[in-house]
Amino acid sequence: MNKTVNQRLEDLREVMRREHLAAFIFPSTDPHQSEYVADHWKGREFISGFNGSAGTAVVTLNSAALWTDSRYFLAAEEQLKGTEFQLMKLKMEGTPTIAQWLKTQIAAGGSPASTEVGIDGWCSSANSVKELIADLRKEGGLTLRTNLDPLKLIWHDRPAIPENPVEIYPIEYAGETTGNKITRIRRALREKHADGMLMSALDDIAWTLNLRGTDVHCNPVFVSYLLISSKDVTLYINKVKLTSEVSAYLQAAGIKVDSYENIVKGLKDYFEYNILLDPDEVNYVLYKTVNCEIVEEESPVKRMKTVKNATEIAGFRSAMLKDGIAMVKFLKWLEESHESHETEISIDRKLTALRAEQPLYRDISFDTIAGYGTHAAIVHYEATPDTDIPLEPHGLLLLDSGAQYLDGTTDITRTIALGPLTDEERLIYTLVLKGHIRIKLCKFPSGASGTQIDILAREAMWRHGLNYLHGTGHGVGTYLNVHEGPHQFRMEWKPAPLVEGMTITDEPGIYLPGRCGARVENTLLIVPYKETEFGKFLQFESLTLCPIDKRPIIREQLIQEEIDWLNDYHQTVFDRLSPHLDADEVEWLREACAPF
């Protein structure tokens, strides 16, 4: 039994009984609705033991369950062993909603003294709380309380909110001043008939102010809020994080500074007629604090930062060149290391070390996924000392990794044949590559949605009765978060338009539990294609520079257009990378990029 998790559940239930709560809900987010959070806000991981980036834990007085998506089904099953937690697989037939499950669990517990459910309103968006209130009411009159954080009472060694220093992001990489960005934001607010806005998303704040930080693992952001009115801009932040240089920079930009905890007072003192709040971004407590009229709209900053300016695009190209050099050095080393007893963890360390040798390297952009053999079937697998296995001279290695360079963020997946493959391994690899290429070859009208394009990655594998449940692509930040939206490739309807200047990944995959998995990923840039009487059409340029393993490909599964793309791509990779490599590396790359 997992005594640590089970003891924490008992401690929580003691608080729940004292507070007359029938259940408590732990989302994955922080007060800023971040995908990845600082350790202080990893409450769902603390209470359940599950460390994936997405999931919701729910605890009643007699039971516990965790909801997560397909990326984490296998990992969650393993991590929840020995605990009370039951795994709930999102989007799978028969999986109840949280409200449905609570109704049955609370009823099964007898006649409860309370039908009140708790959630921390600071760590839940306004929309998620409003939807939960409606769902609970529909499922038997359950009510929701939002003003309690039981972790304050039971998490005795809880990490503090980070106090890491903030740094200026130079204009030579940002390409646009903070003053100009704020002017554009105010113009967008006027178009929405809003006098001001509360900016809560940490990457939006970092982008707007041309500042970066280290408060969240792999994400160069800092904990703060930004309140914009028609006349003032105020940054709410722990002032210990501001060096004299950053303080002078903010003052010169006309940015006022107040303490992080004063955001409630700042909203109460807000003097304008109305304020824009993104209800998917702003937490419920701050949403309820506002006294003026609320304009409920998506933050205009989300889409502004996804369209890269010329300087940012040049930075991406530079970052991808550096990353490609590191990847080629790594792949050559890996091919020559079959007798070196390498493991999933050791190859991760080697790749990180090679990236760290590149100019402007700052960090990895997410924890490396290095899954060999059956581990490649675990979508977001991360090797630990307990799960780490040696590589053997057969089968597939799935390697999904990336880096933060000062001039750009990278995200790349390569699936590598380590030796002889089964027919099944070759088939799934080829279908994944085919889907990747079909996306890359797509031409589409400006403003099309990624959902309309997503089928191109899946059509060939659907013919074989194969599929994958995660998205096919996401935006990538400029030395910011590796996941950036709202645009994406995804089966579910996502109306965010695709426009020129956006970055987006192309990463279909197939995963056969207990057998094997494959994924191929490049980061793409949306660029012009042509203009006709039907409007402006766009296409994708591959920013990623790295060979794609040709050895597993079943040639008959590819049409000539796809083979031509692969050969053209490899010629580009060779031309761009070879001037930066030594003679032995150039010869290795020449073979890796030879026509298929």
Side-chain angles (χ1 to χ4, degrees):
M1 295 290 285
N2 191 322
K3 294 182 179 179
T4 302
V5 169
N6 292 337
Q7 182 57 54
R8 290 169 182 172
L9 287 175
E10 286 308 307
D11 294 344
L12 170 65
R13 286 169 177 150
E14 184 178 334
V15 174
M16 289 166 57
R17 293 185 191 99
R18 189 166 64 243
E19 296 291 333
H20 305 290
L21 289 172
F24 205 91
I25 299 173
F26 296 88
S28 299
T29 53
D30 62 7
H32 308 272
Q33 307 313 302
S34 305
E35 178 184 14
Y36 299 100
V37 303
D39 289 346
H40 177 82
W41 286 294
K42 291 183 178 178
R44 187 224 57 220
E45 179 178 340
F46 170 83
I47 204 66
S48 70
F50 169 64
N51 66 2
S53 66
T56 302
V58 185
V59 180
T60 73
L61 294 174
N62 302 296
S63 56
L66 180 127
W67 282 254
T68 192
D69 62 51
S70 63
R71 295 173 297 169
Y72 296 109
F73 288 168
L74 295 179
E77 283 179 355
E78 187 64 31
Q79 292 181 12
L80 296 179
K81 284 181 179 177
T83 76
E84 293 183 35
F85 279 94
Q86 176 185 359
L87 176 60
M88 298 291 182
K89 298 180 178 181
L90 286 170
K91 300 179 183 177
M92 300 299 286
E93 187 175 350
T95 299
T97 66
I98 289 173
Q100 289 169 342
W101 184 79
L102 282 173
K103 178 183 178 181
T104 61
Q105 293 300 309
I106 292 173
S111 300
S114 171
T115 56
E116 192 170 50
V117 176
I119 194 169
D120 182 1
W122 278 101
C123 292
S124 307
S125 72
N127 265 354
S128 67
V129 171
K130 289 190 286 186
E131 290 169 6
L132 184 57
I133 289 171
D135 289 345
L136 291 172
R137 186 181 295 123
K138 183 175 68 174
E139 297 296 337
L142 300 175
T143 59
L144 189 67
R145 176 180 171 184
T146 60
N147 65 347
L148 176 68
D149 177 9
L151 298 174
K152 291 181 178 178
L153 304 173
I154 66 173
W155 194 353
H156 303 301
D157 56 350
R158 186 176 189 176
I161 297 175
E163 296 183 350
N164 303 331
V166 173
E167 61 181 23
I168 298 169
Y169 189 53
I171 191 67
E172 65 186 284
Y173 304 121
E176 184 181 12
T177 66
T178 289
N180 195 62
K181 290 178 179 179
I182 291 173
T183 297
R184 286 207 288 141
I185 292 168
R186 284 188 169 132
R187 187 183 307 128
L189 292 174
R190 287 195 295 271
E191 292 173 358
K192 296 176 181 290
H193 307 288
D195 299 322
M197 72 173 291
L198 173 63
M199 199 181 302
S200 181
L202 301 184
D203 56 335
D204 285 5
I205 296 169
W207 177 85
T208 299
L209 298 181
N210 287 342
L211 296 174
R212 298 293 188 268
T214 58
D215 284 353
V216 180
H217 177 55
C218 297
N219 297 276
V221 296
F222 50 93
V223 175
S224 59
Y225 296 99
L226 193 67
L227 184 58
I228 299 177
S229 69
S230 61
K231 296 180 180 178
D232 297 318
V233 180
T234 305
L235 175 65
Y236 291 86
I237 189 171
N238 184 341
K239 295 180 183 179
V240 73
K241 301 165 68 66
L242 304 180
T243 65
S244 57
E245 180 186 17
V246 172
S247 296
Y249 165 82
L250 291 170
Q251 184 176 13
I255 311 294
K256 297 181 178 180
V257 177
D258 203 344
S259 297
Y260 180 68
E261 60 270 16
N262 284 347
I263 183 59
V264 171
K265 181 178 185 302
L267 285 173
K268 289 181 176 179
D269 292 344
Y270 178 81
F271 61 89
E272 305 276 14
Y273 174 73
N274 65 25
I275 187 170
L276 184 145
L277 298 182
D278 185 334
D280 289 321
E281 175 184 307
V282 173
N283 68 58
Y284 187 71
V285 171
L286 294 183
Y287 177 86
K288 297 297 287 186
T289 296
V290 173
N291 296 316
C292 64
E293 178 183 309
I294 295 176
V295 178
E296 290 197 16
E297 292 273 359
E298 178 185 86
S299 166
V301 181
K302 284 182 181 178
R303 301 191 185 216
M304 285 183 184
K305 77 176 188 299
T306 63
V307 179
K308 313 308 180 192
N309 61 46
T311 300
E312 291 172 317
I313 291 171
F316 264 103
R317 297 192 199 284
S318 173
M320 295 293 175
L321 178 69
K322 293 189 284 281
D323 212 57
I325 294 168
M327 283 295 300
V328 165
K329 291 175 181 290
F330 169 80
L331 291 171
K332 178 178 181 294
W333 168 85
L334 180 66
E335 193 172 287
E336 298 167 351
S337 300
H338 282 328
E339 306 301 322
S340 302
H341 307 291
E342 301 297 338
T343 72
E344 294 166 329
I345 288 179
S346 72
I347 64 169
D348 175 13
R349 289 174 180 154
K350 178 65 174 181
L351 178 54
T352 299
L354 288 169
R355 282 188 164 120
E357 294 174 357
Q358 295 299 312
L360 305 183
Y361 173 85
R362 302 303 296 272
D363 198 357
I364 55 174
S365 56
F366 57 96
D367 287 319
T368 298
I369 299 166
Y372 170 62
T374 59
H375 286 171
I378 305 173
V379 181
H380 268 214
Y381 170 78
E382 292 174 20
T384 68
D386 291 333
T387 67
D388 187 28
I389 58 175
L391 307 187
E392 299 178 15
H394 60 85
L396 295 173
L397 167 68
L398 191 157
L399 185 64
D400 188 351
S401 64
Q404 296 284 8
Y405 301 95
L406 201 57
D407 50 0
T409 300
T410 69
D411 186 358
I412 173 177
T413 306
R414 290 294 182 263
T415 301
I416 305 151
L418 297 184
L421 303 176
T422 66
D423 291 344
E424 183 176 61
E425 288 169 331
R426 295 184 66 213
L427 177 62
I428 67 166
Y429 180 93
T430 305
L431 293 174
V432 165
L433 177 58
K434 188 178 181 75
H436 174 90
I437 296 172
R438 296 318 301 173
I439 289 278
K440 172 58 186 67
L441 290 173
C442 179
K443 319 297 182 189
F444 58 97
S446 179
S449 163
T451 304
Q452 296 168 300
I453 295 173
D454 180 84
I455 189 176
L456 296 175
R458 302 176 190 266
E459 195 270 343
M461 59 181 72
W462 283 356
R463 289 173 181 262
H464 289 262
L466 298 166
N467 196 19
Y468 56 98
L469 299 181
H470 61 71
T472 303
H474 56 81
V476 180
T478 302
Y479 184 41
L480 263 178
N481 296 358
V482 74
H483 290 166
E484 185 174 87
H487 66 293
Q488 31 188 318
F489 298 134
R490 182 169 289 278
M491 282 196 299
E492 299 82 10
W493 174 238
K494 294 290 182 181
L498 300 177
V499 300
E500 181 182 345
M502 285 180 167
T503 54
I504 188 166
T505 63
D506 173 9
E507 48 180 314
I510 296 175
Y511 314 94
L512 305 178
R515 284 130 71 195
C516 56
R519 184 163 67 246
V520 176
E521 175 189 17
N522 280 358
T523 300
L524 312 178
L525 174 68
I526 301 178
V527 296
Y529 173 52
K530 65 167 62 174
E531 288 197 42
T532 72
E533 65 266 38
F534 294 99
K536 185 176 183 179
F537 285 75
L538 304 173
Q539 61 186 341
F540 299 112
E541 173 192 338
S542 293
L543 292 172
T544 303
L545 298 169
C546 179
I548 294 170
D549 198 344
K550 303 187 295 291
R551 293 169 294 185
I553 299 173
I554 301 173
R555 187 183 185 90
E556 298 74 35
Q557 292 284 345
L558 299 186
I559 63 174
Q560 190 60 46
E561 182 185 35
E562 294 160 353
I563 294 172
D564 291 344
W565 177 85
L566 184 62
N567 289 336
D568 290 345
Y569 174 70
H570 277 151
Q571 186 63 54
T572 299
V573 169
F574 183 81
D575 291 345
R576 293 287 306 281
L577 296 183
S578 57
H580 306 278
L581 302 170
D582 66 29
D584 289 342
E585 291 161 349
V586 168
E587 284 310 304
W588 182 92
L589 183 61
R590 192 187 309 279
E591 177 61 28
C593 293
F596 179 61

